[in-house]
Amino acid sequence: MKITKKEFIMMLGGMFLMSAAVYYEMMPNNLVLGSLSGLVLVLVKIIPLPVSTITFVLNMILLVIGYIFIGREFGVKTVLASLMLPMYLRIFEILTPHVESLSGNIVIDLVCFMIVGGAGQAVLFNMNASSGGIDIVAKLINKYLGFKIGQSITIIGVLISMAAIFVYDRETMVISLVGTLIYGQVLDRFCDGFHVRKKVSILSKEHEKIQNYIVKELRRGATIYPAYGGLDHAEHVEVVTILEKNEYGKLLSFIHETDEHAFVTVSTVNEVVGAWNTVKSR
């Protein structure tokens, strides 16, 4: 299976965000959130090994599980992404070995971690990959039990956060639990943002030109409906299509140039299931 240059760059960027959030926001505050890094923060108090080493070993075990039960594409991409996490952590350990809280406030650091880490994690999930570790378990729950990714992360995260009581104080455990619950919601919001589409309905006398532009130029499907005016009872043709945000802008510009009297309604679609995503490649 080939990984495109774009996908590889996205992996590098997503893993950099996640690794930076873990090393500079999560670790200095002992935030045991629902991730492999949270579990490592517990284990590092018991096992006398560097964080990067423990992360690598656990990742390898979970990667085998992900490859077998989730699929080859997910497994290959996750292998690459998971190798980047200990690599980035090791670089950070060498460049900045003694890191303290950047803000001095655990709540501010928690919020920063959720935003930066959630963005990086959402990039990976959007391309059918993950950072490895606990994300693989979350993906298994998502695939076989039907929970959303954020909900799956929350389920596992609660268990990991509760384990913090064995090596940290109760305050750390409570903050980690609250952070885990919020982080799951933030992650779902980020992931949903990648799948938002625009459903565009057009009533126009130039419907054939608009239909041809959608199919031939934008390479998207279009559905044609007969319509009747409620006021004048005139017959019309409605063209309906679903587009990405940048494609919607192109279509709107074309409609303005083609028929300034066209009637256009637009709605947001949060999820599309079926062959929509494969039309572009034809």
Side-chain angles (χ1 to χ4, degrees):
M1 195 200 76
K2 294 182 178 180
I3 305 295
T4 65
K5 184 184 294 184
K6 180 181 178 181
E7 288 177 328
F8 186 71
I9 293 174
M10 289 178 65
M11 279 188 191
L12 284 173
M15 287 309 304
F16 176 80
L17 291 176
M18 284 200 63
S19 303
V22 168
Y23 191 78
Y24 293 104
E25 302 290 348
M26 186 176 178
M27 289 175 57
N29 294 284
N30 296 323
L31 294 172
V32 185
L33 301 180
S35 65
L36 179 68
S37 301
L39 179 59
V40 170
L41 284 179
V42 174
L43 295 178
V44 78
K45 295 292 184 179
I46 304 171
I47 304 173
L49 291 174
V51 170
S52 54
T53 302
I54 299 176
T55 302
F56 178 80
V57 172
L58 291 179
N59 256 331
M60 291 303 101
I61 296 172
L62 290 169
L63 280 172
V64 174
I65 297 174
Y67 188 90
I68 295 173
F69 292 100
I70 299 177
R72 185 166 180 263
E73 179 187 5
F74 179 85
V76 171
K77 290 181 178 179
T78 301
V79 166
L80 289 176
S82 63
L83 291 175
M84 293 176 188
L85 178 59
M87 177 192 73
Y88 276 128
L89 289 177
R90 188 56 185 162
I91 292 173
F92 295 150
E93 287 173 345
I94 294 172
L95 296 179
T96 53
H98 305 291
V99 178
E100 297 181 357
S101 171
L102 296 181
S103 67
N105 186 305
I106 190 172
V107 176
I108 294 176
D109 284 349
L110 175 60
V111 172
C112 291
F113 170 82
M114 289 190 290
I115 294 174
V116 177
Q121 201 165 16
V123 168
L124 297 173
F125 279 131
N126 183 61
M127 55 188 297
N128 194 29
S130 80
S131 60
I134 302 303
D135 296 351
I136 295 174
V137 182
K139 190 71 175 178
L140 284 170
I141 295 175
N142 167 253
K143 180 177 181 178
Y144 292 104
L145 298 181
F147 288 94
K148 296 180 72 173
I149 287 293
Q151 294 172 335
S152 303
I153 290 288
T154 300
I155 293 170
I156 305 164
V158 167
L159 299 176
I160 295 175
S161 298
M162 291 178 65
I165 192 63
F166 296 108
V167 293
Y168 298 108
D169 54 29
R170 284 180 295 177
E171 180 182 359
T172 300
M173 184 192 72
V174 172
I175 293 175
S176 297
L177 279 171
V178 173
T180 296
L181 294 172
I182 299 175
Y183 183 67
Q185 298 297 316
V186 172
L187 181 57
D188 275 339
R189 293 293 182 184
F190 274 120
C191 290
D192 289 342
F194 283 106
H195 301 289
V196 168
R197 304 288 184 259
K198 294 292 185 180
K199 181 180 181 181
V200 187
S201 302
I202 309 124
L203 288 170
S204 171
K205 294 180 180 179
E206 303 294 339
H207 57 87
E208 290 186 359
K209 292 182 179 179
I210 295 172
Q211 174 190 346
N212 287 333
Y213 179 80
I214 293 171
V215 174
K216 296 180 179 180
E217 298 297 327
L218 298 180
R219 300 185 65 79
R220 292 296 186 190
T223 304
I224 310 301
Y225 296 99
Y228 301 90
L231 182 63
D232 56 7
H233 301 287
E235 293 186 1
H236 302 279
V237 175
E238 181 183 33
V239 181
V240 179
T241 186
I242 296 177
L243 305 171
E244 293 184 352
K245 293 179 181 178
N246 63 317
E247 296 169 338
Y248 161 67
K250 294 176 183 178
L251 175 61
L252 204 60
S253 297
F254 178 80
I255 293 173
H256 286 162
E257 295 173 1
T258 305
D259 182 8
E260 61 181 11
H261 299 294
F263 183 77
V264 182
T265 58
V266 183
S267 58
T268 299
V269 178
N270 291 322
E271 185 176 1
V272 180
V273 179
W276 181 88
N277 292 299
T278 63
V279 173
K280 193 79 171 178
S281 61
R282 290 187 308 184

